[in-house]
Amino acid sequence: MDKIMEQQTTITEVQNGSVGSPKGFITGGQNIGMRKSKPDMGWIYSQQPASAAGVYTTNVFQAAPLKVTKASLAGENSLQAILVNTVSANSCTGEKGMANAFTTRKWMADHLGLPEHYVGVASTGVIGLQLPMDKMEKGINKISLQKAESPFEEAILTTDTHTKHLAVQFEIDGEMVTIGGACKGSGMIRPNMATMLAFVTTDAAIEPGDLHAALKTVTDRTFNRITVDGDTSTNDMVLVMANGMAKNKTLTANHPGWPTFLAGLKEVCQGLAKFIAGDGEGATKLIEVQVTGAKDEHSAEMISKSIIGSSLVKTAIFGSDANWGRVVCAMGYSGEKFDPDKVTMGLGDITLFADGVPVAFDEEEAKAYLDQGTIVIHADLGEGNGEAVAWGCDLTYNYVKINASYRS
């Protein structure tokens, strides 16, 4: 059985929770002049060194800040601070861009009195732009851990329409443990990471190796199951920091509280992933695809990703058109083998297709369902116990408008 689902302890959501909710974490943001007035630099700081792990974009072009953060983690698998800037992705910027990323890491470390390898850096924005180093240096030097100009969650946004954050709490070893997270992402979103940055913090005590294993497992079932437009960017990463200030016994995969920790981490990452999918550029609807009855989880995952990634499915949802043919077509080219005569699929509680043939349904009822803000597409292959869920959004006229003039 999936260990993520075996937990028994109650997990509760923290009201207005975010990446700064766990004990010992301080976050903030400010404007350093890269934008006219909106915040464009953010930071996360832990009062003590934290076990850290990351997962990264699969794009062959990997941005300088991503490489620098990997180098930081290669030291002790620990971080104590993360610096994030918007506007410039510092990607495809050559040796100068790499040197600038290392320099900003050093400035941040010096400002906070930390070893350089305890600092991670992340950037998001336009590919090919060098960092404005004068503004970066002045911005870093005015960072205050006592008072921030703006929330961290606002400082990392690009085309996002709103901030994305949440936190949960649960008990381990009689101690209250908190996991919090914040992310940005709206376009260039695809399974296998995308133009998204996600930052997760926890006050749990956990070994770095086990933390990385947990992040990889959970990312595969959350962030790697969302899509907006099928594009994978150059800067994408998910970073997690665990500073141990909850004072629980150190977590490993053999700890009885491990399933609870995994479940809490999944709840945070899944929530953030759905926020990203629902805030896709120009989107009006969140789409959830539920595939059941597959031969195994991998097969269900591939089929769900194929459906959610179909431009024709996404445009049909935008137009509130119950065009089930587009869904079964996307299932058919997923690369997975299954018996089409056993397939049943539908929208919400409305069955459109069963045992390989269409089912009579009320078009007006289906349209009324598709006019809602959240749409669930379900497909049962009738062959096994494999199941998976993927998330995405509709494809609208505004998506083209936003991306046709992204650099202007």
Side-chain angles (χ1 to χ4, degrees), residues 253-399:
N254 296 320
H255 190 290
W258 183 251
T260 298
F261 179 80
L262 276 182
L265 183 62
K266 182 183 179 185
E267 187 162 332
V268 169
C269 292
Q270 181 171 293
L272 295 177
K274 291 172 70 173
F275 289 156
I276 291 172
D279 192 33
E281 290 172 339
T284 64
K285 301 169 186 177
L286 171 67
I287 307 171
E288 178 172 299
V289 176
Q290 303 172 351
V291 174
T292 57
K295 61 184 179 182
D296 53 36
E297 182 182 5
H298 175 76
S299 181
E301 179 182 358
M302 292 302 100
I303 293 168
S304 65
K305 286 181 177 181
S306 186
I307 296 170
I308 204 67
S310 165
S311 293
L312 290 179
V313 171
K314 291 154 69 68
T315 51
I317 299 299
F318 171 61
S320 296
D321 178 13
N323 192 340
W324 56 266
R326 294 183 177 182
V327 177
V328 297
C329 182
M331 294 174 65
Y333 64 62
S334 66
E336 295 300 311
K337 301 298 183 182
F338 57 89
D339 185 349
D341 292 333
K342 294 181 179 179
V343 172
T344 296
M345 66 80 48
L347 301 167
D349 295 329
I350 307 169
T351 300
L352 309 180
F353 184 83
D355 299 325
V357 294
V359 173
F361 64 93
D362 187 322
E363 289 279 1
E364 290 303 314
E365 180 186 7
K367 184 180 185 308
Y369 177 76
L370 288 168
D371 283 339
Q372 299 179 95
T374 299
I375 307 301
V376 176
I377 298 172
H378 56 83
D380 190 327
L381 278 64
E383 293 188 337
N385 297 319
E387 57 184 52
V389 182
W391 299 272
C393 62
D394 55 345
L395 186 58
T396 72
Y397 306 121
N398 276 338
Y399 175 84

Side-chain angles (χ1 to χ4, degrees), residues 189-191 223 225-231 277 305 307-310 314 390-393:
I189 302 294
R190 177 188 183 183
F223 294 115
R225 289 188 183 176
I226 59 174
T227 188
V228 169
D229 47 21
D231 280 315
K305 286 181 177 181
I307 296 170
I308 204 67
S310 165
K314 291 154 69 68
W391 299 272
C393 62

Side-chain angles (χ1 to χ4, degrees), residues 26-28 30 43 111 139-148:
I26 301 170
T27 65
Q30 62 187 0
W43 61 88
H111 181 67
I140 290 169
N141 286 335
K142 72 173 185 176
I143 288 174
S144 170
L145 298 181
Q146 283 69 50
K147 186 177 182 181

